[in-house]
Amino acid sequence: MLDISSRVRVHVETLPATQNDMGVCDAFEQYAPAGKPDAMNAPHPPKVAGIDSTVPAPAHTVAPATGTTPSAAAHPQNAPGALLQDRLAGWVSDLTTLHELTERLVRAGTLDAALDELLRAGAALVGARRGLVALEPADGRGPSTTVGLGLGRADLGHMETVPRGALPHGRILDGLPGGDDGVAEPDLFAEKGLDPRHREVAARLGYAASYALPLATGTGTGTAGRLGAVVWLYDEPAEPVERQRHLVGLYVRHAAEHLARLLELEHTRASMATMTEELLPSRLPRVAGVQLAARHRTCPSGGGDWYDALPLPDAALGLAVGSVTGSGPSAVAAMGRLRASLRAYAVMEGEDPVAVLSDLELLLRLTEPARSATALFGYCEPAVRRITLAGAGHSPPLLLGERRTEFVETSVSAPLGMLACWEAPSVEVQAEAGDTVLLYTDGLLHRTGDPTDRAFARLHAAAAGVPRALRRDPGAVADHVLRAVLPEGAEDADTSEDVVLLAARFD
């Protein structure tokens, strides 16, 4: 029985896939070094290509295929088994390293993080120090970007001045012959046909060799499924050995599949954000006596929060915020339908906010009985600085003035669609000159991660802490409140909560 350490973990999917790619016997021949162990079996330095790798170095080295040891000469019947065992141990060790690198890649949940991990892990596998990945999906949907490892913006700019066809990754991106299996340039300055500009840039940046691979999904050739190309740069003439090429090829294949999923997620998020923004006001109305500002943060999956501000007869103004349960395309579509309906009801009977929400509740109950929503509608009269409010399961507005910061007490009521018939009394808010009323959705509170009472306290403290110099601008007030309420990174967090903040300042 082969004595292989039990701590070596082999991925149950990676191992059969690699066996199919190589064959076990082929793998033994593939990994047998000529003369001396290659770089993949040498002890890893503590830092490779600027990486503090947490991946353990292979625990076994492959014995030379030629020559015999004294023990092997004394016991010739044991030599083939020992050699086979050592080669198998080295093969399993490489697969373990590959598995751990792919696990680290999968933990990169954003496109930028995945590209950075691809460059760093690939540099460690091929023994390079620098590199770049050019993302240029063949379907044209984007995004198109270039990310460097050990290369600054100026360095990437210099490389962009080289004719595209003269660069190895440029040939891959253009689908030129010979790029599907990678492009190796072991000694740039020894090549007679090297483009003069490429020679000049390579000398300026200090690299003398490169190894490039395509980033593509599937097994086909050509541009179908191509996402881009990745290239690693060597400071001295060098070239990855066959074993390194095979391992980095397997890794890049896994990386391309992961990048394709992240790209699709980016496309979905962009589409949802665009659809949500199109369903919300493209601009806020200008009404004498009041200044308006709105801030909207869409969750990645698309949420159902909305806001609205529409001019009404008699120089009045309708203000509304609301939220539909759920997330995704169905919630966004429902949000659009409810917002459009509320606008119609507001035009017809906006001076009675209770009637507006009652009509909206009836529509929701009849047309979408499985869905509920919260809403807050205010009939604003800027000339007398008065707002008449009605709320359905919604958080109370916040009034920010020169001498007060307080929540407006609204009646406690159920969300729309929760009761057989909704109705609740309205309340009036009498503002003063310079006062700002903040209307918001529950997502602002939920994204804090705090219990409800602490989230309300955080919001109150943020509003009270708005500097005096900013209070004349409702947009500046809204921005300050968002920065103070949401913890660092909460605006970009992967959450199902939208955030809506509508600010109205009375002159």
Side-chain angles (χ1 to χ4, degrees):
M1 179 176 294
L2 298 179
D3 183 18
I4 301 176
S5 173
S6 61
R7 71 180 178 85
V8 177
R9 298 186 294 108
V10 181
H11 195 282
V12 295
E13 296 177 353
T14 307
L15 180 55
T18 308
Q19 289 176 335
N20 292 335
D21 289 338
M22 302 174 56
V24 175
C25 294
D26 292 339
F28 295 155
E29 297 297 327
Q30 175 84 23
Y31 289 164
K36 63 178 182 178
D38 57 38
M40 292 303 298
N41 273 327
H44 287 219
K47 193 169 185 180
V48 179
I51 316 167
D52 272 324
S53 177
T54 59
V55 179
H60 304 276
T61 56
V62 181
T66 59
T68 58
T69 63
S71 59
H75 305 282
Q77 71 278 9
N78 294 332
L83 180 62
L84 182 65
Q85 176 179 347
D86 214 21
R87 288 179 176 176
L88 179 60
W91 179 57
V92 170
S93 180
D94 286 342
L95 289 180
T96 302
T97 299
L98 182 64
H99 168 60
E100 295 198 14
L101 288 175
T102 54
E103 275 192 334
R104 285 170 52 180
L105 176 68
V106 170
R107 287 196 294 269
T110 65
L111 186 60
D112 290 341
L115 293 174
D116 185 67
E117 181 62 29
L118 164 65
L119 283 172
R120 292 178 180 276
L125 288 173
V126 301
R129 188 174 65 89
R130 293 178 291 175
L132 66 90
V133 55
L135 201 62
E136 192 176 299
D139 58 11
R141 298 170 63 192
S144 296
T145 184
T146 301
V147 178
L149 171 67
L151 298 172
R153 288 181 177 271
D155 300 331
L156 296 176
H158 285 305
M159 297 194 73
E160 289 178 355
T161 64
V162 180
R164 185 176 168 112
L167 293 169
H169 61 283
R171 296 199 290 272
I172 292 175
L173 293 173
D174 290 340
L176 299 179
D180 290 323
D181 297 326
V183 178
E185 295 178 326
D187 191 349
L188 281 172
F189 300 107
E191 295 186 12
K192 296 182 179 180
L194 185 65
D195 181 86
R197 180 57 183 166
H198 190 190
R199 183 185 302 274
E200 179 183 345
V201 169
R204 176 189 291 267
L205 301 185
Y207 67 88
S210 66
Y211 181 64
L213 285 175
L215 280 172
T217 58
T219 57
T221 59
T223 59
R226 180 157 294 159
L227 306 178
V230 57
V231 58
W232 291 280
L233 307 175
Y234 297 88
D235 296 343
E236 302 291 341
E239 184 177 6
V241 298
E242 190 66 24
R243 183 179 183 184
Q244 290 174 309
R245 293 190 185 201
H246 185 78
L247 284 176
V248 77
L250 290 175
Y251 178 75
V252 169
R253 187 187 309 172
H254 285 285
E257 297 293 339
H258 183 57
L259 290 174
R261 289 190 291 270
L262 291 177
L263 281 172
E264 190 60 35
L265 182 60
E266 290 288 331
H267 296 153
T268 301
R269 290 178 174 177
S271 299
M272 292 303 304
T274 300
M275 184 169 66
T276 301
E277 294 300 328
E278 289 296 323
L279 291 174
L280 295 174
S282 57
R283 60 181 180 179
L284 296 173
R286 293 184 177 181
V287 178
V290 66
Q291 302 176 52
L292 300 174
R295 298 293 183 265
H296 182 230
R297 303 290 185 267
T298 306
C299 71
S301 59
D305 290 13
W306 87 87
Y307 68 93
D308 207 348
L310 67 156
L312 296 176
D314 301 324
L317 179 69
L319 301 175
V321 292
S323 177
V324 175
T325 55
S327 61
S330 63
V332 174
M335 174 268 286
R337 292 191 292 269
L338 255 65
R339 174 178 168 266
S341 301
L342 186 142
R343 289 176 71 92
Y345 297 143
V347 169
M348 292 186 296
E349 48 192 0
E351 68 279 358
D352 186 357
V354 172
V356 172
L357 292 187
S358 295
D359 292 342
L360 191 64
E361 194 275 338
L362 178 60
L363 176 71
L364 183 67
R365 181 158 45 88
L366 293 178
T367 60
E368 301 186 58
R371 194 181 296 277
S372 64
T374 65
L376 182 71
F377 178 74
Y379 180 76
C380 177
E381 300 171 89
V384 294
R385 304 190 188 98
R386 183 170 58 226
I387 302 179
T388 305
L389 291 165
H394 207 82
S395 299
L398 184 60
L399 182 61
L400 171 62
E402 291 293 329
R403 296 180 297 275
R404 57 177 175 171
T405 301
E406 59 188 23
F407 289 102
V408 177
E409 294 295 335
T410 57
S411 58
V412 178
S413 62
L416 303 176
M418 298 292 289
L419 300 177
C421 182
W422 177 90
E423 186 168 346
S426 61
V427 297
E428 285 190 359
V429 178
Q430 186 62 52
E432 299 177 359
D435 284 358
T436 300
V437 178
L438 298 177
L439 285 67
Y440 53 93
T441 58
D442 292 343
L444 179 61
L445 304 174
H446 295 162
R447 280 210 197 185
T448 64
D450 294 334
T452 303
D453 56 343
R454 292 184 60 185
F456 275 116
R458 181 193 288 262
L459 175 59
H460 185 279
V466 175
R468 299 290 179 184
L470 301 180
R471 296 195 178 193
R472 293 181 176 273
D473 181 1
V477 171
D479 290 335
H480 177 89
V481 169
L482 284 177
R483 287 194 301 268
V485 171
L486 298 181
E488 185 177 356
E491 289 196 42
D492 302 320
D494 191 2
T495 176
S496 60
E497 297 286 348
D498 277 5
V499 173
V500 163
L501 183 60
L502 178 62
R505 182 185 184 275
F506 292 94
D507 293 336

